[in-house]
């Protein structure tokens, strides 16, 4: 099964608006988590992926989730500034907030991701690291431009939890960073406990030690 769609996201270090806007083309090849998954069911659901927003669910009762005010995906694809949708009040206050996805996304996916456009709508000053170096920023943007239309093959995973299907951020963060770098650059990825998403709250509400949290800490390898 192969579903192709566009996804756009923004990197916004320490600022409310996006400093860098990236537009990617992503192709997903599905390997089912269980042989019992029906091919026809996966095909029909994958065909609607481009127009289905990820649902942020409350826990443990879905009715606790706040109404979604996110812009439809079709409109977000051409936007130059994106904002995160609000967290679900129920799950945030309980310390298990996360983005929960449709059940059919559970499993591992072969992904081909291609950068189609890179822009800096707020200029270079927000891209050049803590010092705001425009020389560093210019090099970063130059590198992004070189990656346009270059396909990157990734392996990504979503896992089932008591609260819904969530992204395996330990696995996916390493896969993305190594894939974009073209070599192994990540030494380790660990979850970090924060107020809205922490291990103690997950366990207290019946989750497991393996359930994904929202925040990760990445350690990179030293010079090769």
């Amino acid at each position: 099964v192969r579903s192709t769609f566009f996804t756009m996201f923004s990197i916004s270090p320490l600022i409310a608006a996006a400093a860098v806007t990236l537009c990617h083309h992503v192709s997903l090849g599905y390997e089912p988590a269980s042989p019992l998954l029906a091919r026809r069911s996966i095909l029909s659901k994958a065909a609607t992926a481009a127009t289905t927003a990820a649902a942020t669910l409350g826990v443990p009762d879905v009715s606790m989730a706040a109404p979604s005010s996110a812009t439809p995906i079709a409109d977000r694809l051409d936007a130059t500034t994106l904002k995160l949708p609000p967290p679900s009040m129920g799950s945030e206050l309980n310390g298990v907030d996360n983005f929960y996805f449709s059940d059919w996304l559970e499993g591992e996916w072969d992904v081909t991701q291609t950068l189609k456009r890179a822009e800096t709508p707020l200029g270079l000053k927000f891209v050049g690291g803590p010092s705001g170096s425009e020389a560093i920023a210019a090099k970063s943007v130059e590198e992004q431009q070189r990656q346009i239309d270059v396909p990157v093959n990734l392996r990504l995973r979503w896992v089932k939890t008591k609260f819904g299907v969530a992204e395996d951020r330990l696995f996916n963060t390493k896969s993305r960073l190594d894939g974009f770098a073209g070599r192994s650059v990540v030494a380790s990825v660990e979850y970090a406990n924060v107020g809205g998403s922490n291990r103690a709250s997950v366990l207290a509400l019946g989750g497991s030690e393996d359930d994904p949290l929202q925040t990760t800490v990445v350690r990179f390898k030293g010079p090769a």
Side-chain angles (χ1 to χ4, degrees), residues 133-216:
S133 168
E134 292 200 4
I136 294 176
K139 291 291 185 181
S140 297
V141 173
E142 181 180 328
E143 176 62 26
Q144 288 290 337
Q145 296 293 333
R146 283 200 294 267
Q147 297 303 316
I148 290 177
D149 289 327
V150 177
V152 177
N153 296 318
L154 307 172
R155 186 83 168 171
L156 300 180
R157 179 189 297 162
W158 280 261
V159 297
K160 188 174 183 178
T161 75
K162 172 185 176 180
F163 315 108
V165 172
E167 179 181 0
D168 184 343
R169 291 186 175 88
L170 300 186
F171 183 91
N172 291 358
T173 298
K174 177 174 172 55
S175 182
R176 286 190 180 103
L177 292 173
D178 287 347
F180 297 153
R183 59 190 178 91
S184 178
V185 296
V186 175
S188 66
V189 185
E190 300 173 355
Y191 285 122
N193 292 299
V194 297
S197 176
N198 59 82
R199 186 64 59 201
S201 296
V202 168
L203 294 175
L205 287 173
S208 77
E209 288 281 358
D210 297 324
D211 286 355
L213 302 181
Q214 279 191 326
T215 305
T216 58

Side-chain angles (χ1 to χ4, degrees), residues 7-55:
T7 178
M8 183 180 289
F9 60 92
S10 299
I11 301 173
S12 49
L14 306 180
I15 54 174
V20 180
T21 301
L22 305 176
C23 182
H24 287 262
H25 172 279
V26 180
S27 296
L28 298 178
Y30 180 67
E31 289 194 4
S34 166
L36 299 178
L37 289 174
R39 173 180 170 83
R40 179 174 296 177
S41 174
I42 295 297
L43 279 170
S44 64
K45 292 173 182 177
T48 64
T51 57
T52 303

Side-chain angles (χ1 to χ4, degrees), residues 80-137:
T80 57
T81 301
L82 299 179
K83 296 180 180 179
L84 287 173
S88 56
M89 290 302 296
S91 60
E92 182 186 37
L93 296 178
N94 285 330
V96 294
D97 197 48
N98 212 323
F99 286 103
Y100 296 107
F101 298 83
S102 300
D103 289 346
W104 61 265
L105 196 58
E106 179 189 2
E108 290 193 3
W109 297 74
D110 288 317
V111 179
T112 300
Q113 181 165 326
T114 306
L115 180 67
K116 304 302 293 183
R117 189 172 74 245
E119 301 172 350
T120 55
L122 297 184
L124 297 179
K125 61 181 178 180
F126 295 111
V127 186
S131 64
S133 168
E134 292 200 4
I136 294 176

